Amino acid sequence: MMPVKKETGYIHGHEDKERHYGSLVPPIYQSSTFTFPDAESGEARFAGNEGGYMYSRLGNPTVREFEERMAKAEGGEKALAFASGMAAVSAVLTSLLKSGDHVLVSKGVYGCTFGLLSWLYDRFQVRAAYISMENEADLEEHLQPTTKVIYVETPINPTMKMTDFSLITKFAKEHNLTVVVDNTFASPYLQRPLERNADVVVHSATKYLGGHGDVIAGVAVGNFDFMEVVRKNAQKDMGGVLGSFESWLLLRGMKTLAVRMDRHCSNAKVIAGKLKNHPQVESIFFPGDPDFNQYYLAKKQMDQPGAMISFTVKGGKEAAFNMMNRLKMIAIAVSLGDAETLVQHPASMTHAVIPEAEREFMEIGDNMLRLSVGLEHHEDIWRDLEQALTGE
Ligand SMILES: *Cc1c(COP(=O)(O)O)cnc(C)c1O
């Protein structure tokens, strides 16, 4: 029976009918190579005329199981797993771009994606324009004859600004561009860009998909033809593949994706409301806040507004640092999507590489903190935040 609801799809999907001695959970195929029953079979597998595994860089049953579950979760034809989110991003971008090409990129993309594009410029003259993508005129203004890709993160770190999928996919279609979306902040439970006409989705599976802060992994999802190009070139020959144990951890993480996301989101809603009313807090950046300027866009294209909240405190950087240092339960750490609530200071941590003037233009002030709301009881999360904000 095929699952109808996404919650069921995250849990079922075990394709292996043999079920290995009846084990409920698929085993971890911790094997680098696979034996062939005879020489002819080896030849047929390498020629692509026979199914079956050959060598784990070219495919592994545990990894394949995770890939299939991700393809279903995003509503795509084929998924490929990678050793990190950046391995997925770099595999997709190097498969789409060649020397001299141009990319339209969300202003404020993940720091290492910015780093990758700078390196692609230095080595291969791939050029990128970092733009707000707020309206068609902005896209039109930066479009060039060599533009091939629109690369989007939405909601984006740490200001939670969003990009309207209907706007960029329509523009992309008119100009024959490929739309790539980094869906890490939302997870497929909250947002499915492929269903909204994007072409490729990438994730840092390190975050909500794994969900327990114990694995570094990435995944990309798209149509068969494109993903086959990625597999043959970027995966087989560049080699940033995911291991079977990490894939198994992600399969385990995905089983609880729906229940975790529901709790992350309900906690975030409570915490955002309390932060907003705290006298030490200047402003909050949260797509679920009715005063957030893209509140209705979040309603339109996300099932729930997520569990990432940024906020600014009164008193500048010093007040922000004092607040972080007073926290007793909430950990000071980058990354997100874990059971533990995490806080970080974008200006000196995740966005430290961005020049100060540019950071200010992006509205990433020295007094901004970013919170990844965890799975603890919201009263305990708030108690810690409140005592740290009040400073008594
Ligand atoms: C963490 C992150 C990445 C990079 O993923 P890794 O697994 O750390 O390589 C890319 N994009 C976003 C939005 C992220 O948060």
Side-chain angles (χ1 to χ4, degrees):
M1 192 186 79
M2 289 298 287
V4 174
K5 297 288 189 185
K6 57 182 189 281
E7 291 83 347
T8 318
Y10 299 155
I11 296 169
H12 289 275
H14 190 30
E15 306 291 334
D16 192 343
K17 296 289 181 285
E18 286 174 40
R19 278 209 185 249
H20 300 267
Y21 303 103
S23 68
L24 175 67
V25 174
I28 303 169
Y29 287 89
Q30 195 71 20
S31 185
S32 51
T33 198
F34 295 84
T35 59
F36 309 129
D38 47 44
E40 288 75 14
S41 174
E43 181 184 38
R45 285 188 203 181
F46 271 96
N49 298 330
E50 183 185 299
Y53 294 93
M54 296 165 279
Y55 182 68
S56 277
R57 177 160 39 76
L58 313 177
N60 171 287
T62 320
V63 182
R64 183 66 50 80
E65 179 111 9
F66 166 63
E67 291 171 340
E68 284 175 5
R69 207 157 306 175
M70 263 317 290
K72 279 186 205 145
E74 285 288 2
E77 289 176 1
K78 188 180 167 82
L80 290 172
F82 292 87
S84 69
M86 285 320 300
V89 172
S90 56
V92 165
L93 286 178
T94 52
S95 299
L96 285 169
L97 298 165
K98 59 176 174 26
S99 124
D101 282 347
H102 179 253
V103 201
L104 297 171
V105 190
S106 299
K107 189 182 263 303
V109 272
Y110 187 71
C112 299
T113 304
F114 177 86
L116 169 71
L117 285 163
S118 312
W119 187 71
L120 289 178
Y121 174 72
D122 289 344
R123 302 281 300 177
F124 307 105
Q125 292 76 52
V126 169
R127 288 168 314 120
Y130 296 90
I131 64 174
S132 75
M133 303 197 193
E134 268 164 26
N135 49 47
E136 195 170 339
D138 188 42
L139 292 158
E140 201 83 63
E141 187 192 333
H142 294 91
L143 183 74
Q144 307 214 350
T146 49
T147 307
K148 296 285 160 59
V149 170
I150 303 185
Y151 186 94
V152 174
E153 248 177 78
T154 176
I156 203 162
N157 188 17
T159 56
M160 306 302 148
K161 283 212 174 83
M162 283 179 290
T163 303
D164 189 336
F165 288 129
S166 56
L167 172 79
I168 51 160
T169 56
K170 181 171 164 279
F171 185 83
K173 195 162 190 183
E174 283 163 10
H175 297 92
N176 205 18
L177 312 175
T178 302
V179 175
V180 182
V181 179
D182 182 333
N183 201 25
T184 302
F185 265 45
S187 91
Y189 184 61
L190 304 183
Q191 175 172 276
R192 288 161 305 286
L194 300 181
E195 292 176 0
R196 295 183 178 276
N197 299 322
D199 301 293
V200 185
V201 164
V202 292
H203 277 279
S204 169
T206 311
K207 318 292 168 55
Y208 286 112
L209 291 166
H212 294 75
D214 51 14
V215 63
I216 295 277
V219 63
V221 193
N223 70 36
F224 278 121
D225 290 349
F226 174 64
M227 294 314 291
E228 198 47 28
V229 170
V230 177
R231 193 188 66 75
K232 279 205 179 119
N233 301 300
Q235 200 164 56
K236 174 176 134 314
D237 297 338
M238 292 206 289
V241 294
L242 191 63
S244 53
F245 178 57
E246 285 77 5
S247 301
W248 184 86
L249 283 174
L250 293 172
L251 282 165
R252 188 168 74 153
M254 278 189 78
K255 286 189 197 185
T256 55
L257 180 66
V259 286
R260 283 188 291 109
M261 292 312 294
D262 282 341
R263 175 62 80 88
H264 278 300
C265 291
S266 64
N267 274 353
K269 201 173 164 199
V270 174
I271 297 300
K274 290 191 188 289
L275 279 172
K276 194 178 172 181
N277 292 318
H278 195 280
Q280 285 308 112
V281 173
E282 224 172 54
S283 49
I284 69 163
F285 303 79
F286 177 57
D289 171 18
D291 293 326
F292 188 68
N293 60 5
Q294 290 176 310
Y295 176 73
Y296 289 99
L297 181 56
K299 279 210 162 249
K300 183 174 110 179
Q301 63 187 33
M302 297 178 76
D303 295 341
Q304 295 182 64
M308 297 299 297
I309 305 171
S310 294
F311 61 99
T312 53
V313 295
K314 289 177 188 158
K317 180 177 175 181
E318 200 186 333
F321 269 44
N322 287 341
M323 191 251 166
M324 284 201 290
N325 289 334
R326 281 194 291 261
L327 290 165
K328 295 191 166 78
M329 177 187 81
I330 296 170
I332 305 173
V334 297
S335 199
L336 57 116
D338 295 335
E340 294 84 356
T341 297
L342 306 175
V343 71
Q344 66 108 358
H345 181 252
S348 66
M349 296 176 188
T350 51
H351 293 65
V353 292
I354 300 167
E356 194 174 335
E358 177 74 359
R359 236 177 15 234
E360 273 166 24
F361 185 68
M362 287 159 62
E363 291 176 65
I364 304 170
D366 268 352
N367 62 341
M368 178 186 268
L369 296 172
R370 186 195 78 184
L371 202 59
S372 166
V373 179
L375 300 176
E376 304 95 338
H377 196 288
H378 60 77
E379 284 174 18
D380 285 322
I381 301 173
W382 178 246
R383 201 157 12 159
D384 198 19
L385 286 170
E386 190 179 33
Q387 65 81 20
L389 280 165
T390 312
E392 277 158 9

